[in-house]
Amino acid sequence: MRKTIAALLGCLALTGCSSDWQGETAFKVAEFYDHQLPDGATEKRVKLDPVGSPPQDAEPDHLKGLSVLEHEIVGAVGVEDGVVCLARHESGETKISGCKKS
């Protein structure tokens, strides 16, 4: 019985508990805010809320609470504007990049 459980756990480790995925994802700008860094400096960030269908294999929670630096969005945006970004989920973490106004 222990060997069976060990074999099943090994299979889960090889396939991963959550799948990695990536894809273009639509967001809307929720807010602009100042994020304080450990050294006391601040950076302008943009909180994004997902809209529409998530990429294949993405869990809805993977896309919640994401933000980017304001200067990383191509094109001027305001609150409620649409943005499209490349979202990538790997090793339990979701990162977004290549954002542009839609």
Side-chain angles (χ1 to χ4, degrees):
M1 182 68 166
R2 288 184 187 165
K3 289 181 181 180
T4 303
I5 292 172
L8 288 173
L9 289 175
C11 289
L12 282 174
L14 290 174
T15 59
C17 294
S18 67
S19 62
D20 293 345
W21 55 264
Q22 76 174 21
E24 279 200 345
T25 306
F27 295 93
K28 80 173 179 183
V29 174
E31 69 176 319
F32 293 84
Y33 65 97
D34 290 329
H35 174 74
Q36 189 159 6
L37 301 171
D39 66 359
T42 60
E43 59 185 12
K44 298 282 188 190
R45 297 196 67 85
V46 180
K47 182 176 182 251
L48 302 174
D49 289 335
V51 295
S53 299
Q56 186 175 353
D57 296 332
E59 297 289 329
D61 288 347
H62 292 168
L63 298 170
K64 290 183 181 175
L66 298 177
S67 66
V68 294
L69 292 170
E70 184 177 10
H71 71 268
E72 292 178 336
I73 300 175
V74 176
V77 294
V79 173
E80 299 292 319
D81 283 347
V83 175
V84 176
C85 305
L86 176 63
R88 179 184 189 118
H89 185 80
E90 191 171 62
S91 301
E93 185 177 6
T94 304
K95 295 182 180 179
I96 51 178
S97 62
C99 297
K100 57 186 178 235
K101 185 175 180 176
S102 57

PDB file of all heavy atoms in Angstrom, residues 32-34 43-47 67-78 99:
ATOM      1  N   PHE A  32      -5.283  53.242 -10.195  1.00  0.00           N
ATOM      2  CA  PHE A  32      -3.876  53.616 -10.169  1.00  0.00           C
ATOM      3  C   PHE A  32      -3.515  53.833  -8.699  1.00  0.00           C
ATOM      4  O   PHE A  32      -4.307  54.382  -7.936  1.00  0.00           O
ATOM      5  CB  PHE A  32      -3.645  54.929 -10.929  1.00  0.00           C
ATOM      6  CG  PHE A  32      -3.889  54.817 -12.398  1.00  0.00           C
ATOM      7  CD1 PHE A  32      -5.173  54.938 -12.915  1.00  0.00           C
ATOM      8  CD2 PHE A  32      -2.845  54.596 -13.279  1.00  0.00           C
ATOM      9  CE1 PHE A  32      -5.408  54.830 -14.273  1.00  0.00           C
ATOM     10  CE2 PHE A  32      -3.062  54.488 -14.637  1.00  0.00           C
ATOM     11  CZ  PHE A  32      -4.355  54.605 -15.134  1.00  0.00           C
ATOM     12  N   TYR A  33      -2.322  53.393  -8.308  1.00  0.00           N
ATOM     13  CA  TYR A  33      -1.927  53.589  -6.917  1.00  0.00           C
ATOM     14  C   TYR A  33      -0.407  53.655  -6.807  1.00  0.00           C
ATOM     15  O   TYR A  33       0.316  53.234  -7.700  1.00  0.00           O
ATOM     16  CB  TYR A  33      -2.488  52.481  -6.015  1.00  0.00           C
ATOM     17  CG  TYR A  33      -1.952  51.093  -6.284  1.00  0.00           C
ATOM     18  CD1 TYR A  33      -0.900  50.571  -5.527  1.00  0.00           C
ATOM     19  CD2 TYR A  33      -2.483  50.298  -7.289  1.00  0.00           C
ATOM     20  CE1 TYR A  33      -0.409  49.303  -5.762  1.00  0.00           C
ATOM     21  CE2 TYR A  33      -2.006  49.023  -7.529  1.00  0.00           C
ATOM     22  CZ  TYR A  33      -0.967  48.535  -6.765  1.00  0.00           C
ATOM     23  OH  TYR A  33      -0.483  47.275  -7.011  1.00  0.00           O
ATOM     24  N   ASP A  34       0.040  54.215  -5.682  1.00  0.00           N
ATOM     25  CA  ASP A  34       1.473  54.283  -5.377  1.00  0.00           C
ATOM     26  C   ASP A  34       1.822  53.077  -4.516  1.00  0.00           C
ATOM     27  O   ASP A  34       1.205  52.847  -3.476  1.00  0.00           O
ATOM     28  CB  ASP A  34       1.816  55.568  -4.617  1.00  0.00           C
ATOM     29  CG  ASP A  34       1.693  56.803  -5.484  1.00  0.00           C
ATOM     30  OD1 ASP A  34       1.919  56.704  -6.700  1.00  0.00           O
ATOM     31  OD2 ASP A  34       1.353  57.876  -4.947  1.00  0.00           O
ATOM     32  N   GLU A  43       6.516  53.571  -6.468  1.00  0.00           N
ATOM     33  CA  GLU A  43       6.373  53.369  -7.905  1.00  0.00           C
ATOM     34  C   GLU A  43       4.892  53.401  -8.248  1.00  0.00           C
ATOM     35  O   GLU A  43       4.055  52.982  -7.454  1.00  0.00           O
ATOM     36  CB  GLU A  43       7.008  52.046  -8.346  1.00  0.00           C
ATOM     37  CG  GLU A  43       6.434  50.821  -7.682  1.00  0.00           C
ATOM     38  CD  GLU A  43       7.164  49.531  -8.035  1.00  0.00           C
ATOM     39  OE1 GLU A  43       8.256  49.575  -8.615  1.00  0.00           O
ATOM     40  OE2 GLU A  43       6.619  48.465  -7.707  1.00  0.00           O
ATOM     41  N   LYS A  44       4.579  53.941  -9.418  1.00  0.00           N
ATOM     42  CA  LYS A  44       3.195  54.020  -9.882  1.00  0.00           C
ATOM     43  C   LYS A  44       2.786  52.671 -10.451  1.00  0.00           C
ATOM     44  O   LYS A  44       3.447  52.151 -11.351  1.00  0.00           O
ATOM     45  CB  LYS A  44       3.045  55.092 -10.959  1.00  0.00           C
ATOM     46  CG  LYS A  44       3.374  56.483 -10.503  1.00  0.00           C
ATOM     47  CD  LYS A  44       2.235  57.054  -9.720  1.00  0.00           C
ATOM     48  CE  LYS A  44       2.495  58.534  -9.431  1.00  0.00           C
ATOM     49  NZ  LYS A  44       1.547  59.069  -8.503  1.00  0.00           N
ATOM     50  N   ARG A  45       1.704  52.097  -9.925  1.00  0.00           N
ATOM     51  CA  ARG A  45       1.212  50.796 -10.383  1.00  0.00           C
ATOM     52  C   ARG A  45      -0.240  50.924 -10.836  1.00  0.00           C
ATOM     53  O   ARG A  45      -0.954  51.841 -10.434  1.00  0.00           O
ATOM     54  CB  ARG A  45       1.338  49.746  -9.295  1.00  0.00           C
ATOM     55  CG  ARG A  45       2.814  49.501  -8.922  1.00  0.00           C
ATOM     56  CD  ARG A  45       3.031  48.237  -8.154  1.00  0.00           C
ATOM     57  NE  ARG A  45       2.777  47.026  -8.907  1.00  0.00           N
ATOM     58  CZ  ARG A  45       3.652  46.419  -9.708  1.00  0.00           C
ATOM     59  NH1 ARG A  45       4.850  46.936  -9.889  1.00  0.00           N
ATOM     60  NH2 ARG A  45       3.351  45.299 -10.325  1.00  0.00           N
ATOM     61  N   VAL A  46      -0.647  49.963 -11.656  1.00  0.00           N
ATOM     62  CA  VAL A  46      -2.009  49.918 -12.176  1.00  0.00           C
ATOM     63  C   VAL A  46      -2.593  48.558 -11.809  1.00  0.00           C
ATOM     64  O   VAL A  46      -2.038  47.517 -12.185  1.00  0.00           O
ATOM     65  CB  VAL A  46      -2.022  50.094 -13.711  1.00  0.00           C
ATOM     66  CG1 VAL A  46      -3.441  50.042 -14.250  1.00  0.00           C
ATOM     67  CG2 VAL A  46      -1.340  51.395 -14.114  1.00  0.00           C
ATOM     68  N   LYS A  47      -3.687  48.557 -11.066  1.00  0.00           N
ATOM     69  CA  LYS A  47      -4.383  47.301 -10.720  1.00  0.00           C
ATOM     70  C   LYS A  47      -5.306  46.957 -11.881  1.00  0.00           C
ATOM     71  O   LYS A  47      -6.053  47.807 -12.381  1.00  0.00           O
ATOM     72  CB  LYS A  47      -5.179  47.452  -9.437  1.00  0.00           C
ATOM     73  CG  LYS A  47      -5.859  46.161  -9.025  1.00  0.00           C
ATOM     74  CD  LYS A  47      -6.576  46.309  -7.692  1.00  0.00           C
ATOM     75  CE  LYS A  47      -7.185  44.985  -7.313  1.00  0.00           C
ATOM     76  NZ  LYS A  47      -8.616  44.968  -7.410  1.00  0.00           N
ATOM     77  N   SER A  67      -1.260  43.393 -10.996  1.00  0.00           N
ATOM     78  CA  SER A  67      -0.951  44.790 -11.304  1.00  0.00           C
ATOM     79  C   SER A  67       0.347  44.855 -12.096  1.00  0.00           C
ATOM     80  O   SER A  67       1.129  43.908 -12.104  1.00  0.00           O
ATOM     81  CB  SER A  67      -0.845  45.625 -10.025  1.00  0.00           C
ATOM     82  OG  SER A  67       0.268  45.211  -9.263  1.00  0.00           O
ATOM     83  N   VAL A  68       0.536  45.987 -12.767  1.00  0.00           N
ATOM     84  CA  VAL A  68       1.765  46.249 -13.523  1.00  0.00           C
ATOM     85  C   VAL A  68       2.207  47.677 -13.232  1.00  0.00           C
ATOM     86  O   VAL A  68       1.421  48.498 -12.763  1.00  0.00           O
ATOM     87  CB  VAL A  68       1.566  46.072 -15.050  1.00  0.00           C
ATOM     88  CG1 VAL A  68       1.273  44.644 -15.408  1.00  0.00           C
ATOM     89  CG2 VAL A  68       0.498  46.992 -15.590  1.00  0.00           C
ATOM     90  N   LEU A  69       3.459  47.947 -13.526  1.00  0.00           N
ATOM     91  CA  LEU A  69       3.936  49.320 -13.444  1.00  0.00           C
ATOM     92  C   LEU A  69       3.229  50.143 -14.521  1.00  0.00           C
ATOM     93  O   LEU A  69       2.995  49.652 -15.632  1.00  0.00           O
ATOM     94  CB  LEU A  69       5.447  49.379 -13.643  1.00  0.00           C
ATOM     95  CG  LEU A  69       6.282  48.758 -12.527  1.00  0.00           C
ATOM     96  CD1 LEU A  69       7.739  48.652 -12.948  1.00  0.00           C
ATOM     97  CD2 LEU A  69       6.156  49.570 -11.255  1.00  0.00           C
ATOM     98  N   GLU A  70       2.896  51.373 -14.190  1.00  0.00           N
ATOM     99  CA  GLU A  70       2.146  52.226 -15.123  1.00  0.00           C
ATOM    100  C   GLU A  70       2.863  52.370 -16.464  1.00  0.00           C
ATOM    101  O   GLU A  70       2.240  52.303 -17.523  1.00  0.00           O
ATOM    102  CB  GLU A  70       1.913  53.597 -14.490  1.00  0.00           C
ATOM    103  CG  GLU A  70       1.069  54.516 -15.336  1.00  0.00           C
ATOM    104  CD  GLU A  70       0.788  55.843 -14.644  1.00  0.00           C
ATOM    105  OE1 GLU A  70       1.387  56.131 -13.589  1.00  0.00           O
ATOM    106  OE2 GLU A  70      -0.037  56.591 -15.182  1.00  0.00           O
ATOM    107  N   HIS A  71       4.179  52.513 -16.444  1.00  0.00           N
ATOM    108  CA  HIS A  71       4.918  52.730 -17.691  1.00  0.00           C
ATOM    109  C   HIS A  71       5.040  51.463 -18.547  1.00  0.00           C
ATOM    110  O   HIS A  71       5.509  51.512 -19.675  1.00  0.00           O
ATOM    111  CB  HIS A  71       6.299  53.341 -17.404  1.00  0.00           C
ATOM    112  CG  HIS A  71       7.261  52.394 -16.760  1.00  0.00           C
ATOM    113  ND1 HIS A  71       7.388  52.303 -15.396  1.00  0.00           N
ATOM    114  CD2 HIS A  71       8.127  51.498 -17.284  1.00  0.00           C
ATOM    115  CE1 HIS A  71       8.302  51.402 -15.113  1.00  0.00           C
ATOM    116  NE2 HIS A  71       8.758  50.881 -16.237  1.00  0.00           N
ATOM    117  N   GLU A  72       4.618  50.301 -18.013  1.00  0.00           N
ATOM    118  CA  GLU A  72       4.681  49.056 -18.778  1.00  0.00           C
ATOM    119  C   GLU A  72       3.470  48.854 -19.692  1.00  0.00           C
ATOM    120  O   GLU A  72       3.420  47.876 -20.425  1.00  0.00           O
ATOM    121  CB  GLU A  72       4.812  47.859 -17.830  1.00  0.00           C
ATOM    122  CG  GLU A  72       6.148  47.823 -17.115  1.00  0.00           C
ATOM    123  CD  GLU A  72       6.266  46.663 -16.136  1.00  0.00           C
ATOM    124  OE1 GLU A  72       5.234  46.163 -15.654  1.00  0.00           O
ATOM    125  OE2 GLU A  72       7.406  46.258 -15.863  1.00  0.00           O
ATOM    126  N   ILE A  73       2.501  49.767 -19.650  1.00  0.00           N
ATOM    127  CA  ILE A  73       1.336  49.691 -20.532  1.00  0.00           C
ATOM    128  C   ILE A  73       1.571  50.615 -21.717  1.00  0.00           C
ATOM    129  O   ILE A  73       1.823  51.806 -21.540  1.00  0.00           O
ATOM    130  CB  ILE A  73       0.043  50.095 -19.808  1.00  0.00           C
ATOM    131  CG1 ILE A  73      -0.208  49.158 -18.623  1.00  0.00           C
ATOM    132  CG2 ILE A  73      -1.145  50.072 -20.767  1.00  0.00           C
ATOM    133  CD1 ILE A  73      -1.397  49.547 -17.755  1.00  0.00           C
ATOM    134  N   VAL A  74       1.492  50.056 -22.925  1.00  0.00           N
ATOM    135  CA  VAL A  74       1.666  50.855 -24.143  1.00  0.00           C
ATOM    136  C   VAL A  74       0.359  51.588 -24.417  1.00  0.00           C
ATOM    137  O   VAL A  74      -0.694  50.963 -24.564  1.00  0.00           O
ATOM    138  CB  VAL A  74       2.048  49.963 -25.348  1.00  0.00           C
ATOM    139  CG1 VAL A  74       2.130  50.784 -26.617  1.00  0.00           C
ATOM    140  CG2 VAL A  74       3.360  49.240 -25.075  1.00  0.00           C
ATOM    141  N   GLY A  75       0.437  52.907 -24.465  1.00  0.00           N
ATOM    142  CA  GLY A  75      -0.741  53.740 -24.692  1.00  0.00           C
ATOM    143  C   GLY A  75      -1.248  54.305 -23.373  1.00  0.00           C
ATOM    144  O   GLY A  75      -1.140  53.672 -22.328  1.00  0.00           O
ATOM    145  N   ALA A  76      -1.782  55.504 -23.444  1.00  0.00           N
ATOM    146  CA  ALA A  76      -2.320  56.153 -22.246  1.00  0.00           C
ATOM    147  C   ALA A  76      -3.646  55.501 -21.876  1.00  0.00           C
ATOM    148  O   ALA A  76      -4.501  55.288 -22.729  1.00  0.00           O
ATOM    149  CB  ALA A  76      -2.506  57.643 -22.500  1.00  0.00           C
ATOM    150  N   VAL A  77      -3.802  55.169 -20.603  1.00  0.00           N
ATOM    151  CA  VAL A  77      -5.032  54.531 -20.141  1.00  0.00           C
ATOM    152  C   VAL A  77      -5.558  55.249 -18.910  1.00  0.00           C
ATOM    153  O   VAL A  77      -4.819  55.916 -18.187  1.00  0.00           O
ATOM    154  CB  VAL A  77      -4.831  53.035 -19.798  1.00  0.00           C
ATOM    155  CG1 VAL A  77      -4.494  52.238 -21.032  1.00  0.00           C
ATOM    156  CG2 VAL A  77      -3.786  52.835 -18.724  1.00  0.00           C
ATOM    157  N   GLY A  78      -6.863  55.106 -18.698  1.00  0.00           N
ATOM    158  CA  GLY A  78      -7.517  55.621 -17.507  1.00  0.00           C
ATOM    159  C   GLY A  78      -8.327  54.511 -16.863  1.00  0.00           C
ATOM    160  O   GLY A  78      -8.438  53.405 -17.404  1.00  0.00           O
ATOM    161  N   CYS A  99       1.627  44.604 -21.969  1.00  0.00           N
ATOM    162  CA  CYS A  99       0.280  45.172 -21.916  1.00  0.00           C
ATOM    163  C   CYS A  99       0.146  46.340 -22.886  1.00  0.00           C
ATOM    164  O   CYS A  99       1.062  47.154 -23.034  1.00  0.00           O
ATOM    165  CB  CYS A  99      -0.039  45.644 -20.506  1.00  0.00           C
ATOM    166  SG  CYS A  99      -0.055  44.331 -19.284  1.00  0.00           S
TER     167      CYS A  99
END
